[in-house]
Every structure is written in structure tokens, then in C-alpha cells.
Amino acid sequence: MSSERLAALLDEYAELEKRLADPAIHADQGTARRVGRRYAELVPLHKAAGELEQARADLAAARELVAEDPSFAGEAESIAATLPALEERLAELLIPRDPHDAKDVIVEIKAGEGGEESALFAGDLLRMYTRYAERRGWLTEVLDAQDSDLGGVKDVSLAIKTKGVPEGGNGVWSRLKWEGGVHRVQRVPVTESQGRIHTSAAGVLVLPEAEEVDVTIDPNELRIDVFRSSGPGGQSVNTTDSAVRITHVPTGIVVSCQNEKSQLQNREQAMRILRARLLAAAQEQADAAASDARKAQVRTVDRSERIRTYNFPQNRITDHRIGYTAYNLDLALAGDLDGVLDALVEADRAARLAGDTELTRR
């Protein structure tokens, strides 16, 4: 256990506590939220350190009593037995955590090869994450969506955020960062007349939502185009050029939004997505530059890596990275994702305690 790191974090906790007690900080809601998030991250550490310090003090006092009266030996042994668990808890909290864990996210879902069936499955994933968010008491907002002819989605961007400061610094990212990758479905499509099982896939990209202070964007490096929104099959949605396409020239990242009727609103939504993508790109570059750094959890949609299979005939959901299998696919699609997500969190926790830098995969 690093006593220097513990002392530094406890000093930071005390400083943040002072800042939050100053009414002036709440004049800037963005700053107050960032400070509050960091403070919430350190609360469990402060509590664990306090409990361990108190237990050690109690043990010292009990041993002094034993020296005078041996009948207190049992109490001293009982206190001593609690120390290993307290020390392990504190050691776990001292392991550097994912710096984005307290953040909200933008989830992008894209239909893959498979035509309408893939778009319908992408729509199923959208509903799954929306319902999971509802269960957690999170807020959701569709930033942009391109619907398919049969009611699925070809491409959708969904913002998910906590209400207020997340407890313990565990925001949406801490739960959904594992979802990035290729999701495969096996079922009989609605378009299949002979009852044959087909396999198709959709890609999911999870981005920590960036605040303006996280990413600096030079307006001169943006190319902004406006165009007319369109719906499924090219059907016109409105008759004004309200849709917005923003190109970040240095990186080539392109973001389009057309959901809102206002060009200004579409531009704001597109900038939110662009900031998130730039933050993810910067994180991936930093991880690539440091061989001993923790690997980025964001996975690109076009990766061939299949992370999960949804088998409808067997009502089975399988996460291939950790060998997780459960026969409750219907519940998972209804938003009951905690089983697979808890398994992924535990696998990552075990890997970090063992000193590994990446989630165990199969």
C-alpha cells in the first residue's frame, strides 16, 4: 500500500471538501459538477481509510487492556481479525481507476451487414440500453437517429446521463464502457418466410461525454455544412436546411445530426458527439503511447471482434470476453443487464488487482 499516494488523495479530498463548502463555486455549475464528481470518487477512499485507522487504534487500546487484564484477549483478537479485509478494501481503492468512470456517455449504435434484420436488431439494442437506463434512474436523449423502413434504426446516437453527482464517482461510463464492440444476433428474421435462423450484427460504440474543458476545438478547424433532413427511404422530413454536418479537418472526424427542426439545435448535438469522439481519440493515442497504460475501453464499431451473442431460439446471452452465459435473453433485452455487467466489472476488478492492464478476454 502506498502511504504517499494515500496521503496525497486524502489531502485532495480535504481540499475538494473546502471548495464545495464555498458558495462561490456554485456560481459555475460546470465547475461545481466536476469538483463534485471528483469528491464523490474520493468519498469511499476517505471512509475506508478512516475505518482502518479507527480499527488499528481500537486494536492498540485493546492490547493495552490485555496487558492489564488477560480477559480482554478475545476482544483484541476479534478486532485484529477485521484488519485484513479493511486493508484489502483500501488497497483496492488505491489502484488507479478509470479517469472517465464518473462521466456520462454517448452510445452510438450502427446496423451492420444484414439489411433490415440488422437494423431491427440495432433498434432492439437501443431499447435495451434505454430500458436499462430507466432502471438505474438515468436520463436518456436521442441526439440523432436514422430509422429503417421496418421500424429499426440504421444509425443512432443516444446520450445517457446520471441525475446529479453519481454516488462513489460511478457514473454511466463505469457501467456501460464494456458495451463497445460487435453484438451478434441469431434468430429467425421477420423477413424470413421459411423459418430459417439468420445471423446478423450491429456495432456499438460507447464514448465518455466530453465537457468543453476536456477538449479544445478551434472553430477554424471545423467545416460545417447544412442540408435537408430525410427519413426512411429518402422521404423528406422537413423542407428547410436544418440538418448539420460538421467535419473536424485535422482528424477527418465527421458528425451529422438531423433530428431537431432547428439548425442551431442540430449543431449543438453534433458538437456534443464530436467532443466525445475527440476525447476518445485522444485517450486511445495516450494509451498507445504508453505500453504500460491501461488499454482504452472504447472499441470502434468496425472491429471484427465479436463481444456478445444474443441467441433467440435458446433465449441465451453470451459474453465472449469472460465466458459469461445466461439463459435470460428476454430479460436482458428488457433492460435487466446487471448480470452480465456485474460479471464484467468483477473480471476487470480481478484483473486490476492482479496487475493486468486489460479486461480478461476469451
Side-chain angles (χ1 to χ4, degrees):
M1 185 184 302
S2 171
S3 57
E4 295 83 3
R5 175 170 168 75
L6 175 59
L9 291 173
L10 291 178
D11 286 345
E12 183 184 0
Y13 172 89
E15 178 61 28
L16 293 173
E17 193 171 43
K18 289 181 182 178
R19 291 187 67 187
L20 288 172
D22 183 356
I25 194 175
H26 299 286
D28 183 342
Q29 289 301 309
T31 299
R33 182 172 171 82
R34 286 192 299 277
V35 172
R37 280 178 171 175
R38 178 56 179 163
Y39 177 78
E41 289 178 6
L42 295 177
V43 165
L45 176 74
H46 178 265
K47 181 180 178 181
E51 290 175 348
L52 179 58
E53 182 180 3
Q54 184 61 53
R56 286 172 172 169
D58 291 345
L59 179 59
R63 283 175 173 168
E64 288 181 5
L65 291 173
V66 170
E68 300 175 4
D69 185 350
S71 66
F72 285 98
E75 181 179 348
E77 291 176 2
S78 178
I79 296 173
T82 67
L83 292 183
L86 292 173
E87 290 170 346
E88 181 180 353
R89 171 63 175 158
L90 184 57
E92 180 181 338
L93 290 170
L94 281 171
I95 298 174
R97 63 184 294 165
D98 187 324
H100 299 313
D101 272 351
K103 288 187 176 293
D104 300 324
V105 306
I106 293 177
V107 179
E108 298 185 2
I109 307 171
K110 300 179 184 294
E113 295 181 0
E116 279 295 338
E117 165 59 9
S118 179
L120 289 170
F121 177 52
D124 291 337
L125 293 177
L126 172 62
R127 284 184 289 275
M128 180 179 76
Y129 293 128
T130 301
R131 289 167 179 170
Y132 180 67
E134 291 171 353
R135 285 170 174 260
R136 303 284 299 195
W138 295 336
L139 303 174
T140 61
E141 177 188 6
V142 174
L143 302 181
D144 192 53
Q146 296 181 36
D147 298 331
S148 70
D149 293 329
L150 296 183
V153 290
K154 298 176 182 177
D155 190 345
V156 61
S157 296
L158 177 72
I160 307 178
K161 60 177 59 182
T162 58
K163 296 178 181 178
V165 175
E167 183 178 353
N170 295 314
V172 184
W173 173 260
S174 72
R175 295 296 289 176
L176 294 186
K177 61 185 174 184
W178 322 106
E179 294 303 289
V182 176
H183 295 240
R184 184 179 69 168
V185 63
Q186 296 172 326
R187 65 182 175 189
V188 179
V190 294
T191 55
E192 170 59 53
S193 60
Q194 299 182 18
R196 293 175 297 186
I197 296 174
H198 287 227
T199 298
S200 61
V204 175
L205 181 63
V206 184
L207 305 170
E209 180 153 12
E211 300 178 46
E212 291 189 20
V213 296
D214 296 326
V215 177
T216 301
I217 300 177
D218 184 348
N220 295 321
E221 295 179 341
L222 300 178
R223 185 172 70 246
I224 301 176
D225 303 302
V226 295
F227 57 98
R228 190 160 299 175
S229 301
S230 61
Q235 179 182 359
S236 178
V237 172
N238 58 56
T239 56
T240 62
D241 291 336
S242 61
V244 174
R245 181 186 300 109
I246 299 179
T247 303
H248 185 249
V249 177
T251 61
I253 294 176
V254 180
V255 178
S256 298
C257 277
Q258 62 176 9
N259 261 34
E260 306 296 336
K261 293 183 179 180
S262 160
Q263 185 182 119
L264 178 60
Q265 288 176 310
N266 281 323
R267 176 170 174 162
E268 290 175 349
Q269 305 289 48
M271 286 299 294
R272 287 176 64 184
I273 298 173
L274 177 61
R275 278 194 294 268
R277 290 189 184 177
L278 288 173
L279 178 63
Q283 184 66 52
E284 288 177 349
Q285 289 176 357
D287 288 338
S291 59
D292 60 342
R294 180 173 176 77
K295 299 294 185 182
Q297 293 295 339
V298 175
R299 294 174 171 84
T300 56
V301 167
D302 59 357
R303 285 184 64 157
S304 59
E305 181 189 9
R306 181 189 67 222
I307 67 165
R308 192 174 298 154
T309 295
Y310 304 74
N311 185 292
F312 276 69
Q314 298 178 18
N315 196 36
R316 170 173 56 83
I317 180 171
T318 300
D319 195 287
H320 304 286
R321 294 164 293 182
I322 56 173
Y324 173 93
T325 295
Y327 293 87
N328 62 348
L329 175 57
D330 53 338
L331 297 178
L333 290 174
D336 187 2
L337 282 174
D338 279 331
V340 62
L341 293 181
D342 285 345
L344 286 160
V345 169
E346 180 56 33
D348 177 68
R349 171 184 170 276
R352 288 189 297 116
L353 286 173
D356 294 338
T357 60
E358 189 172 7
L359 178 69
T360 303
R361 296 182 183 175
R362 291 292 179 90

